[in-house]
Amino acid sequence: GAGVSQSPSNKVTEKGKDVELRCDPISGHTALYWYRQSLGQGLEFLIYFQGNSAPDKSGLPSDRFSAERTGGSVSTLTIQRTQQEDSAVYLCASSNGQGRWGYTFGSGTRLTVV
Amino acid sequence: AQSVAQPEDQVNVAEGNPLTVKCTYSVSGNPYLFWYVQYPNRGLQFLLKYITGDNLVKGSYGFEAEFNKSQTSFHLKKPSALVSDSALYFCAVRDIDAGNNRKLIWGLGTSLAVNP
């Protein structure tokens, strides 16, 4: 597609439930990134996929968080047993492999855990 | 280690006045530098980048930024601010010699408020 697409745009879930957030990157972009942004705050790096390399998971805050990228394209971020502190906007971005031209961001998924 | 600092959480400027949003960085080699803008309830949008060449980079919406290697800075500027420029601004850096680690390192953001 023309841009990075994220779904759903909004998600309200009950504490303890699992959620899946989806990111469809720009076609041909080999790198995909997940970030979390709490209200009015900066970007918190979560995970980075580059081609067929092992993902950089160094930013995942706990083992309740996981992500996969199937076929080098669509990525799913899964949060198990959600907690209220997981409430944030989850942003996905993609870039070409070199990253020289920066990232293209999706509009994000606003997750609210009640 | 790479790092980016945006020393001001908030910048207030009157409409029509020049604005500056500050960014300093630390990398081991030569940097790629970026500015992004985030309008309320929106995703991040690319504004401009410095890769190499002219130290003054012009970007979207009339913004420009000056790469200063000696001061390791990449301040964002605009000659005449608009109320519609009010948003959250992020500076980011990538080390050219990052090898396989091609993540951008992000500043914490600066909230710009342009008052009418």
Side-chain angles (χ1 to χ4, degrees), chain B residues 77-88:
Chain B
K77 300 183 179 183
K78 187 172 182 180
S80 179
L82 301 173
V83 172
S84 57
D85 293 330
S86 299
L88 193 56

Side-chain angles (χ1 to χ4, degrees), chain A residues 59-109:
Chain A
L60 294 178
S62 77
D63 59 8
R64 295 186 295 106
F65 288 72
S66 64
E68 63 178 18
R69 189 179 185 193
T70 54
S73 182
V74 172
S75 177
T76 302
L77 177 69
T78 301
I79 309 173
Q80 296 178 309
R81 304 181 302 281
T82 51
Q83 304 295 312
Q84 287 185 331
E85 61 263 28
D86 299 335
S87 296
V89 175
Y90 289 81
L91 292 167
C92 176
S94 70
S95 72
N96 63 30
Q98 295 299 320
R100 295 182 63 189
W101 311 112
Y103 300 171
T104 302
F105 280 85
S107 297
T109 294

Side-chain angles (χ1 to χ4, degrees), chain B residues 11 14 17 44 60 77-78 80 88 93 115:
Chain B
V11 170
N17 283 1
L44 277 78
S60 306
K77 300 183 179 183
K78 187 172 182 180
S80 179
L88 193 56
V93 66
N115 305 306

Side-chain angles (χ1 to χ4, degrees), chain A residues 16-85:
Chain A
K17 299 284 189 181
D18 297 352
V19 294
E20 286 189 350
L21 312 180
R22 176 187 166 104
C23 174
D24 197 345
I26 290 175
S27 178
H29 278 190
T30 58
L32 186 147
Y33 314 81
W34 282 99
Y35 287 87
R36 180 168 70 174
Q37 186 178 30
S38 300
L39 185 63
Q41 300 299 308
L43 298 175
E44 177 186 3
F45 167 74
L46 296 178
I47 188 169
Y48 160 46
F49 297 89
Q50 173 62 57
N52 295 322
S53 302
D56 176 354
K57 304 179 181 179
S58 61
L60 294 178
S62 77
D63 59 8
R64 295 186 295 106
F65 288 72
S66 64
E68 63 178 18
R69 189 179 185 193
T70 54
S73 182
V74 172
S75 177
T76 302
L77 177 69
T78 301
I79 309 173
Q80 296 178 309
R81 304 181 302 281
T82 51
Q83 304 295 312
Q84 287 185 331
E85 61 263 28

